[in-house]
Every structure is written in structure tokens, then in C-alpha cells.
Amino acid sequence: LAQDKARSLLHQPNSVVGSAASALVAMSPTDFSKFDTTYYVKSALAGGICCGFTHGAVCPVDVVKTRIQLEPQKYNKGMVGGFRQVISEE
């Protein structure tokens, strides 16, 4: 029904409605055949790699930040000093 109405509006190509109608008619349904097992394996692998890099960079910063918040009298040399102190203690 909507596509029939869009087709009738195609006769007005210079109008905003006409251009929107031509876009509606041009849209095709999504082809789900490309979403096979390989697609999901690649997506999971890419997500795991990206997550590994993110956690590898963010978790140490979070550890130092948390220790600075919990023991400000002990970890009072900023982030870089906090990193050095955590590394030397562990």
C-alpha cells in the first residue's frame, strides 16, 4: 500500500515528497543470506580483539585511579607516580 502511494508520487520528482517517494520505492528488503556462521565468527573475533585492547589499556588506569581514591595519603604522586608505585608493590 505504501509503495503504491509512493509510485503515484513519483510523478512529482522536483518536490520533497517526490524525492522521498523515489527513495522508498528504491529500497529493497535486506538480504539476510550474508549473515552466515562465518559472519558471526568474524564479528565475535573482531569484538574480542577490540575488547582485549580496550581492557588492556583501561583496567590498569582504573586500578591506579581506585587506589588514589582509596588511599590518597599513600598514592599522592599523580597517575604516573601511581603507576610506578603499583608496579613496584606488585
Side-chain angles (χ1 to χ4, degrees), residues 66-78 85 89:
T66 303
R67 290 191 184 188
I68 290 172
Q69 288 175 337
L70 292 175
E71 300 179 74
Q73 67 282 357
K74 183 177 180 182
Y75 296 97
N76 58 2
K77 298 175 184 147
Q85 203 168 352
E89 290 177 1

